[in-house]
Amino acid sequence: SVYGFAQQSNGFLLLDSEVGAGTTVSIFLPTTDATPVQRGSHYPQETLEPLGDPRAAVRTVLVVEDDPNVRALTVSRLQHLGYQVLDADDAAAALATLESQPDIDVLLTDIAMPGGMSGIDLAAVVSKNRPDIKIIFSASYSKQADILHEQDKLGSWLQKPYKQAELAKKMQEILATA
């Protein structure tokens, strides 16, 4: 994830590891004139303008993500795009939400989650029980991305970290097949 962030930011990463001495990770990022991120925020501020489909407001997305910061950011981005959003922090909570909410159009799930049920496991249950729901996986590691390519019959995927415009495009693509 850190390496991906450094590369996406046009920077680079240096690792220095010595047995018995420990490991030092140095991230080098280009300078910028942008407004600094507010203290306490883990994510840079971005312009969140509605980019989406005018039909977004009638679409409901269930976001399943165990990291509360990533989940909050994803929910906020989808809401700014005009979608109705529900969220869950693990697969069990997602399944409970799916049972109580019949009008979910899209499941956006991380694949690596605690609790014994991965996003892929969750998607398999959803595609069996609710085949009308479109599925988008999100993954931050290239190893996870390889797994997703093998599972692409279950859904589409977004590589973390992704921008709002990439999320908007993916949502439009997956809903266009509905």
Side-chain angles (χ1 to χ4, degrees):
S1 290
V2 173
Y3 174 75
F5 171 75
Q7 273 199 321
Q8 181 181 13
S9 302
N10 295 320
F12 61 95
L13 181 78
L14 290 178
L15 291 171
D16 184 24
S17 186
E18 203 172 310
V19 175
T23 301
T24 301
V25 179
S26 301
I27 301 173
F28 296 86
L29 301 172
T31 60
T32 181
D33 293 329
T35 305
V37 174
Q38 292 179 348
R39 182 172 280 190
S41 174
H42 291 75
Y43 299 96
Q45 301 297 318
E46 64 179 309
T47 303
L48 297 176
E49 296 180 24
L51 302 171
D53 186 339
R55 298 168 294 162
V58 298
R59 303 295 186 132
T60 302
V61 182
L62 173 58
V63 174
V64 186
E65 170 64 58
D66 60 311
D67 182 314
N69 294 319
V70 174
R71 187 173 61 249
L73 177 64
T74 304
V75 166
S76 175
R77 285 175 165 175
L78 287 164
Q79 288 172 334
H80 276 91
L81 291 169
Y83 295 96
Q84 295 176 24
V85 185
L86 304 169
D87 66 289
D89 61 358
D90 64 17
L95 289 172
T97 300
L98 285 158
E99 280 186 35
S100 66
Q101 300 290 328
D103 296 331
I104 295 172
D105 301 291
V106 178
L107 170 69
L108 173 57
T109 182
D110 189 10
I111 64 167
M113 291 187 292
M117 188 176 207
S118 71
I120 293 172
D121 298 332
L122 173 62
V125 171
V126 170
S127 65
K128 179 181 177 191
N129 297 336
R130 302 271 306 269
D132 57 310
I133 295 177
K134 302 293 183 180
I135 300 170
I136 301 173
F137 296 102
S138 67
S140 41
Y141 305 109
S142 61
K143 187 181 287 186
Q144 290 176 340
D146 292 342
I147 292 168
L148 288 177
H149 284 301
E150 295 171 16
Q151 300 291 332
D152 64 359
K153 63 184 174 290
L154 289 176
S156 186
W157 72 283
L158 275 169
Q159 178 78 35
K160 290 180 191 175
Y162 50 83
K163 296 179 180 177
Q164 182 185 12
E166 294 168 317
L167 177 60
K169 181 179 177 187
K170 183 60 68 176
M171 290 297 296
Q172 289 173 346
E173 286 173 4
I174 199 161
L175 289 170
T177 64

